[in-house]
Amino acid sequence: MSSVPSPAPSSLAPHDRARPLAKGSPKPAKDLCSDCGLCDSRWVAYVRRACAFLEQRFEAMEEQAHGRSRRLDDEDELYFGVHQRMVTARLRQPIEGAQWTGIVSRIGVRALESGLVDAVLCVQQSEDDRFTPVPVLARTPEEVLAARVNKPTLSPNLEVLEQLPGSGIERLLAIGVGCQIQALRAVQATLPLQKLYVLGLPCVDNVSRQGLQTFLESASRSPDTVVHYEFMQDFRIHFRHSDGHQETVPFFGLDTPALKDVFAPSCLSCFDYTNAGADLVVGYMGATFGRQWVTVRNPLGQELLDLVEPELDLAPVTSSGERRQAVQQGIDAYEKALKLPMWLAELVGVFVQRFGPKGLEYGRFSIDSHFTRNALWLQRHHPEKVDAHIPAFARRIVDRYRLPKP
Ligand code: FAD
Ligand code: SF4
C-alpha cells in the first residue's frame, strides 16, 4: 500500500493548524460575542476577518454572495437588502409545532429528499430544556423536523463546522441568523464543501438562556409553562403554554426599565436584522398577520424556494400605514424608560393595530426602531466602534430620526 506523505506544516491552511477555543474561554469579540460557534471550530483561525462583531463587511459579503451590494437609493434594498423577489407565503399544510407555518423546516426536508444537499445545519433543542439550542448537521428529514421552532437564545451554530472534515458532506444547506451567516460567508471558501446554500432567518433582540428567563418572568403570567412565543405583527407578544392556551401581551405593556439590559450586547450592536448574506430569507415581519415573508436574494435562493413553491399559498407583498411618527415616539419613550399601565398599553395597542403600519411598512417600523436603539447603544457603550460598526445602509436609516444625546 502506498502511503501518502503528510504535507509539510507550511503548506497547511490556517484552519488545519488551528484548534477550537476551549469552552468558556474569553472570545475575541469579548462582551459583544454572540456565541455564533465559529470560535468553537478550527475556523477560529479566520476570526479577525470573519467575526461579525470585530469587522463589518457587508458590501464585500453581498458582492461575494449575490454578485453586487445593495442599492442604497432603492428604498426596498436599503431596508431589506439585495433581492430579486419578495413575496408572502404560508404552507398550505402547516407543520405542527413549527415557529410559523414551517416553511424553513419544509425546505430543509425537501433539500435532503431531493438530493440537493447531503446535510442541513440546523438547531435542535436540549432534552432537558426546550430553549437550550443544540446545533446539528441533520442527515435525515426527521432530524430536520426535530429542529423546527425557534430556540430564542444565542446558538453556537457554527461549532458543527468542526464535524465537516471526513464526514462525507459535500453539499450543505445552512440555516441561521445574521451573525452566524456573516461568519460562515467569510470562511466559505475554506470549507471542505462543493456547494453551500444559505437559508437565513431575520433576527433581533436575542438573549442568553438566563436573559430569556428574565424576559419570560417579566412578560408572561406563567413563565415556566411557555413553550413558544413570537412578537407578532399585531404589536402583541403571543405566548403559547404547555397546556395549549394562548396568552397575548401588548408590546407597549412590557416593563421597559426591567428589560433594558436583557438583550445580548451582540444584538444591541447588530445591524444585520434582515440577514444580508443569505440566499433566501424567511421571516414574518414584512407580511400581514399570520403569513410569512420570503426574500429571494439570488438564484440559489430561488432554487431553495422552488423546492416548496407548489406547496405554498403565495401572495404579493403589501404595505400600508406610516411608521415614522411611531418610531420617533418609541425612541423618546425608550429613552425615558417609560412603563405604561396595562390599561393604557392595551389602548395604545388597539389603536396602533388598527391604524399602524402593516406589511412591509411594519418591517420598516421594526428595522427603524431597532437600528436607532442600537446606534444609540453603540454610541454609549462602544463609541470607538461606531464608525466601523454601523454600515452605510443603517446610517442612512438612523439619520432620518432625532436621537437623544449619547
Ligand atoms: P421552523 O420550520 O419552525 O424552523 C425554525 C428554524 O429555525 C429551524 O430550522 C432551526 O434550525 C432554526 N433556529 C431555531 N433557533 C435558532 C437560533 N437561535 N439560531 C439560529 N437558527 C435557529 N423573523 C422576523 O421576521 N422578525 C424578527 O424579528 C425575527 N426574530 C427572530 C429571532 C430569532 C432568535 C430567531 C431564531 C428567529 C427570528 N425570526 C424573525 C424568524 C421567525 O421567527 C421564524 O423563525 C421564521 O419565520 C421561520 O419560521 P418557520 O415556521 O418557517 O420555521
Ligand atoms: Fe467568535 Fe462568533 Fe463570538 Fe465572534 S461572535 S467572537 S466569531 S464565537
Side-chain angles (χ1 to χ4, degrees), residues 217-357:
E217 282 167 16
S218 159
S220 167
R221 279 192 298 272
S222 174
D224 294 333
T225 59
V226 173
V227 289
H228 178 287
Y229 75 86
E230 187 67 272
F231 287 75
M232 293 281 201
Q233 302 102 325
D234 61 356
F235 295 86
R236 300 181 78 86
I237 307 165
H238 291 226
F239 294 101
R240 197 185 313 140
H241 292 270
S242 46
D243 64 0
H245 91 271
Q246 287 261 10
E247 173 192 8
T248 75
V249 177
F251 291 179
F252 308 100
L254 285 177
D255 187 350
T256 313
L259 294 177
K260 262 198 155 175
D261 295 325
V262 85
F263 301 120
S266 53
C267 306
L268 290 166
S269 68
C270 171
F271 297 89
D272 197 12
Y273 195 172
T274 58
N275 212 322
D279 299 316
L280 177 74
V281 184
V282 180
Y284 65 87
M285 66 180 178
T288 47
F289 190 75
R291 297 182 67 82
Q292 292 187 257
W293 169 52
V294 182
T295 306
V296 181
R297 299 208 183 284
N298 60 34
L300 291 183
Q302 184 58 48
E303 243 186 279
L304 291 175
L305 189 57
D306 285 343
L307 292 169
V308 298
E309 204 158 330
E311 303 174 41
L312 296 178
D313 154 22
L314 280 176
V317 281
T318 58
S319 187
S320 65
E322 218 309 298
R323 71 191 182 281
R324 292 204 194 194
Q325 207 185 343
V327 174
Q328 188 63 56
Q329 282 166 355
I331 296 170
D332 301 337
Y334 184 81
E335 185 62 10
K336 292 182 189 127
L338 291 179
K339 177 174 191 284
L340 298 185
M342 198 46 88
W343 66 267
L344 186 55
E346 290 284 1
L347 205 66
V348 176
V350 170
F351 181 83
V352 178
Q353 189 185 341
R354 185 116 185 248
F355 303 105

Side-chain angles (χ1 to χ4, degrees), residues 95 97-106 121-124 133 144 147-155 157 175-177 180 201-204 206 230 273 282-286 292-293 366:
I95 295 177
Q99 184 69 18
W100 283 77
T101 70
I103 294 175
V104 167
S105 297
R106 187 68 190 140
L121 194 173
C122 52
V123 189
Q124 296 178 350
V144 172
R148 73 194 183 285
V149 76
N150 291 359
K151 276 47 90 177
T153 44
L154 301 175
S155 175
N157 278 28
I175 300 171
V177 297
Q180 300 159 357
L201 307 169
C203 179
V204 80
N206 213 344
E230 187 67 272
Y273 195 172
V282 180
Y284 65 87
M285 66 180 178
Q292 292 187 257
W293 169 52
S366 195

Side-chain angles (χ1 to χ4, degrees), residues 116-132:
L116 186 73
V117 297
D118 308 310
V120 178
L121 194 173
C122 52
V123 189
Q124 296 178 350
Q125 62 203 46
S126 127
E127 280 178 17
D128 313 322
D129 176 30
R130 141 84 183 88
F131 292 120
T132 297

Side-chain angles (χ1 to χ4, degrees), residues 32-49:
L32 293 184
C33 172
S34 71
D35 201 14
C36 78
L38 186 82
C39 294
D40 303 315
S41 79
R42 66 193 70 176
W43 279 271
V44 64
Y46 307 102
V47 66
R48 292 274 151 217
R49 65 176 172 82

